[in-house]
Amino acid sequence: MTVFFVGAGIGDADHLTVKAHRLISQADVIIYDALIDNQILQLVPENCLQIPVGKRGGKVSTPQETINQLLAQYAPVYKTIIRLKGGDPGIFGRINPEIETLQAINVDYELIPGISSSIAAPLLANIFLTEKENSHGFMVVTGHDPNLLNWQVLSQVDTLVILMGSKNLPIIVDKLQEYGRSHLFPIAIIKQAGNSQQQIWKGTLGNIVEQTVNISLSPCIIVIGKVVR
């Protein structure tokens, strides 16, 4: 009995790794997050038990303790349990409590990497996170709680990639300008990257909020840097 923490990658099944595709196709139980594409779930065997445990900001979410309990309940009983997470399991995947649950009951687990939206979404929008002249590196942060971030440091990073920042976009652009970024500094927002609903907005710190006012941006990736141009 093994629990496989599988990264679903970005968008549809075309972006799964070969190993992820194979494991999902053999699953006895699949416990999956929100935002997993339907095309991926169609790979699951007919007799597989499917349990949604989505976590969405501002909406009803499955408590972490409930997810831990589900793993503890099913892991000792079934041969192949898939804990399917969007993107890569190790990037803002809340993976530690779930691994600790399995360790406590002596159940084996394996980590299967996935393509993270933090690097894939910009590429699919023709934005290259590193460029010789414009970006010597990039930093990935969560925009879930902007008050926890060191904006003095972030405002100096060549290229900044922000996940889960849609609802806090006005705060993010204000903080960057407060700590020295020009209102003309480039920014891009990439929504639903990797599938047919992908949308892209490009602008500046000074006008991006106005461009996207009254538009639901979630789920999106925010890229801030000269590479956006």
Side-chain angles (χ1 to χ4, degrees):
M1 292 167 288
T2 303
V3 174
F4 296 91
F5 290 89
V6 176
I10 184 171
D12 58 27
D14 285 346
H15 298 102
L16 287 173
T17 64
V18 173
K19 188 168 187 177
H21 190 292
R22 174 171 57 81
L23 288 169
I24 292 168
S25 301
Q26 299 172 352
D28 298 310
V29 179
I30 183 165
I31 302 171
Y32 63 94
D33 282 349
L35 304 180
I36 301 299
D37 193 282
N38 267 340
Q39 192 182 105
I40 294 175
L41 295 176
Q42 288 172 9
L43 300 173
V44 176
E46 287 186 8
N47 61 346
C48 175
L49 178 60
Q50 300 184 42
I51 306 172
V53 293
K55 288 195 171 190
R56 295 294 306 275
K59 298 184 180 180
V60 177
S61 296
T62 306
Q64 185 62 58
E65 183 56 37
T66 299
I67 299 174
N68 297 346
Q69 290 171 356
L70 287 168
L71 288 170
Q73 176 183 349
Y74 292 111
V77 179
Y78 291 88
K79 181 180 179 182
T80 304
I81 299 94
I82 304 296
R83 177 65 178 99
L84 189 61
K85 293 176 175 283
D88 182 89
I91 299 181
F92 303 122
R94 297 186 178 98
I95 198 170
N96 284 338
E98 299 175 22
I99 288 177
E100 290 168 1
T101 296
L102 298 176
Q103 291 174 330
I105 59 174
N106 295 314
V107 169
D108 292 333
Y109 67 90
E110 186 174 338
L111 303 173
I112 313 300
I115 301 174
S116 172
S117 60
S118 61
I119 56 173
L123 187 67
L124 292 172
N126 288 310
I127 298 170
F128 312 130
L129 294 180
T130 58
E131 290 182 356
K132 184 176 180 181
E133 301 300 330
N134 291 319
S135 178
H136 298 288
F138 62 93
M139 182 179 290
V140 180
V141 299
T142 169
H144 181 70
D145 189 347
N147 293 322
L148 297 178
L149 301 174
N150 187 335
W151 291 102
Q152 186 171 3
V153 171
L154 296 181
S155 65
Q156 303 304 310
V157 175
D158 284 352
T159 305
L160 183 61
V161 180
I162 303 179
L163 284 66
M164 299 174 284
S166 59
K167 71 175 182 178
N168 291 318
L169 179 62
I171 299 174
I172 290 167
V173 299
D174 285 348
K175 287 289 187 183
L176 287 167
Q177 291 177 88
E178 178 184 344
Y179 284 94
R181 283 299 189 197
S182 166
H183 69 285
L184 298 175
F185 202 67
I187 180 172
I189 298 173
I190 308 146
K191 177 182 178 179
Q192 297 278 17
N195 62 38
S196 59
Q197 286 79 45
Q198 178 172 298
Q199 292 177 273
I200 303 168
W201 294 266
K202 291 185 179 182
T204 66
L205 294 179
N207 67 23
I208 194 67
V209 172
E210 183 179 355
Q211 273 195 53
T212 57
V213 67
N214 297 326
I215 297 174
S216 174
L217 297 175
S218 180
C220 75
I221 304 298
I222 301 169
V223 184
I224 301 157
K226 293 179 182 178
V227 293
V228 169
R229 289 200 291 252

